[in-house]
Amino acid sequence: MRTSTAGPAEGDPFDAGAGGILRQPKAVWATAGASVVAFMGIGLVDPILPSIAQGLDATPSQVSLLFTSYFLITAVAMLVTGFVSSRVGGRKTLLAGLALVVVFAGLAGTSDSVAQLVGFRAGWGLGNALFVSTALAVIVGAAAGGSAAAILLYESALGLGMACGPLLGALLGDASWRYPFFGTAALMAVGFLCIAAFLKEQPRPARRTSLLDPVRALGHGGLASVAASAFFYNYTFFTVLAFTPFVLDMTPYKSGAVFFAWGVLLAVFSVLVAPRLQERFGSLKVLGGSLVLLAADVLVLGYGNHTAAVVCTVLSGAFIGVNNTVYTELALGVSNAPRPVASAGYNFVRWFAAAAAPYFAPKIEEWTDVHIPFVVAAVAAVLGAAVVWARRTALTREAEELQPRHATEDGVSAFAN
């Protein structure tokens, strides 16, 4: 970890220099490239949600189920991915995940109803879970320059994918809402071929992961606290991501541009800004402050005029980027569970909020008005900060006690796993 709050870093990834990061084997670039496309799939539908609703004669709450089915399956799949990869190996797990994404993304483009699209999106979520939960572990195992450079490369791929997903959705979706799904399937097929050609099988872990290991890991108070806080935060995060496009009510191009700027801020603050804030202020202070600022930003988004809503949507990417990095480090450094197991347990909890927010936000609007979903999202962010504050002593002590053990381990991204 980078701070005394969550343990010191294994080394500043920027100390490796650009050469250390860029001089990687073809297998690493193939996996990183496929990771970019995998993360593009999260925000791909953002700018075309209104177009999908119009094309399939659906309500916003029905179309938002695209996110709900995707992340609900992703949450449950957290119990499966480690079980699978520890038995068949990382390469086969990656290829299986990519194959599922190719199939279900392609089928999503052929949908004739919201129900079909939601179902295919769920299958897509399973494939994406298998892929992204394994990708960083594979990159770390195959990369040159140590795990710090590998993690930086992976986080860069994450940020690039989150930024480019809405842009691709807008460019292809302007012609038809079906084209972004076909485009993703094609890109993931290329990723499948690259990994099949360049990535050799990675060593399997000495101990196989059971289906219940991630659940057992949540018995640790520190990890359970981080997961609970992240649950509330993710509700806010995905209210912004899934509900805001309907509030902005913009063309696919304009909406894609807004969320591209949002994704750029997310990437910059996740990779460049968050580590420096942690070094200066400590992880828990940075996380608590960022959550409170996100709550204020979301309130202005909900109650401001259209220009304020656009600005606050973009600005939220900065707070989300900081939060993602700090939560990752806390989740992986606070318990005595192996990092992949801790990450799976943590994500098993928090992805349920990612599934809930896209469904409940438009429902709350139907029951009340357009402002209240953002009030609920702001309250959720404050609750996340409250959990961190209430557990601050335990989180600091437990992370520091476990620091020597984690200093010898490779990391696995908690955001994606």
Side-chain angles (χ1 to χ4, degrees):
M1 311 288 288
R2 291 186 177 94
T3 72
S4 61
T5 302
E10 295 175 7
D12 189 337
F14 297 95
D15 289 343
I21 296 170
L22 298 178
R23 296 193 190 113
Q24 299 294 343
K26 292 179 180 179
V28 172
W29 287 116
T31 307
S35 297
V36 172
V37 181
F39 289 117
M40 286 170 62
I42 294 177
L44 177 82
V45 299
D46 251 31
I48 58 172
L49 286 175
S51 298
I52 294 173
Q54 182 178 2
L56 296 178
D57 193 23
T59 65
S61 60
Q62 289 175 321
V63 174
S64 293
L65 289 174
L66 293 175
F67 285 99
T68 298
S69 63
Y70 182 91
F71 287 114
L72 185 62
I73 295 299
T74 298
V76 176
M78 288 300 106
L79 303 181
V80 178
T81 53
F83 177 88
V84 173
S85 63
S86 65
R87 285 163 173 78
V88 305
R91 181 176 183 272
K92 292 179 180 177
T93 304
L94 290 178
L95 292 175
L98 288 170
L100 286 172
V101 172
V102 170
V103 170
F104 283 104
L107 288 173
T110 68
S111 300
D112 294 322
S113 67
V114 171
Q116 286 183 353
L117 188 54
V118 168
F120 293 142
R121 181 76 167 165
W124 183 345
L126 174 60
N128 218 47
L130 288 171
F131 176 82
V132 300
S133 67
T134 311
L136 181 57
V138 170
I139 289 175
V140 169
S147 62
I151 292 171
L152 176 61
L153 181 64
Y154 184 82
E155 294 291 346
S156 300
L158 185 159
L160 183 62
M162 292 292 287
C164 292
L167 195 61
L168 177 67
L171 292 174
L172 297 179
D174 188 59
S176 170
W177 66 263
R178 300 180 187 272
Y179 290 170
F181 298 107
F182 294 140
T184 300
L187 289 172
M188 288 304 254
V190 173
F192 181 96
L193 294 175
C194 289
I195 288 178
F198 298 122
L199 180 64
K200 297 180 180 179
E201 187 55 82
Q202 303 296 297
R204 299 180 191 179
R207 178 183 176 275
R208 292 181 174 181
T209 301
S210 78
L211 291 174
L212 294 180
D213 279 350
V215 177
R216 295 190 185 102
L218 291 169
H220 185 277
L223 182 60
S225 299
V226 175
S229 177
F231 177 89
F232 291 116
Y233 156 65
N234 261 33
Y235 186 93
T236 308
F237 178 179
F238 285 94
T239 296
V240 173
L241 189 63
F243 181 64
T244 302
F246 292 106
V247 176
L248 297 180
D249 192 24
M250 303 168 81
T251 65
Y253 274 123
K254 291 181 179 179
S255 182
V258 168
F259 279 96
F260 173 73
W262 169 88
V264 169
L265 277 188
L266 187 155
V268 169
F269 275 75
S270 177
V271 176
L272 299 178
V273 178
R276 285 153 176 75
L277 290 176
Q278 289 175 273
E279 289 171 359
R280 182 169 182 178
F281 300 107
S283 293
L284 298 187
K285 289 182 180 178
V286 170
L287 181 59
S290 181
L291 286 168
V292 171
L293 289 173
L294 177 62
D297 179 83
V298 168
L299 280 178
V300 177
L301 195 166
Y303 280 93
N305 58 24
H306 188 268
T307 299
V310 169
V311 171
C312 288
T313 299
V314 174
L315 184 59
S316 70
F319 305 124
I320 289 169
V322 170
N323 292 338
N324 287 344
T325 294
V326 181
Y327 273 120
T328 294
E329 297 195 358
L330 286 173
L332 299 184
V334 77
S335 76
N336 55 4
R339 279 174 162 171
V341 173
S343 180
Y346 158 76
N347 282 287
F348 173 69
V349 173
R350 77 185 189 113
W351 285 129
F352 278 109
Y359 175 77
F360 283 110
K363 283 293 185 182
I364 292 171
E365 181 196 14
E366 292 174 10
W367 299 331
T368 56
D369 60 51
V370 72
H371 307 297
I372 302 304
F374 294 103
V375 175
V376 175
V379 171
V382 172
L383 288 174
V387 172
V388 172
W389 180 85
R391 292 286 295 166
R392 64 193 184 282
T393 302
L395 287 172
T396 302
R397 182 180 65 251
E398 290 162 355
E400 289 176 344
E401 289 174 354
L402 289 162
Q403 177 268 324
R405 180 182 70 83
H406 285 307
T408 63
E409 294 183 358
D410 290 327
V412 177
S413 172
F415 178 83
N417 192 2

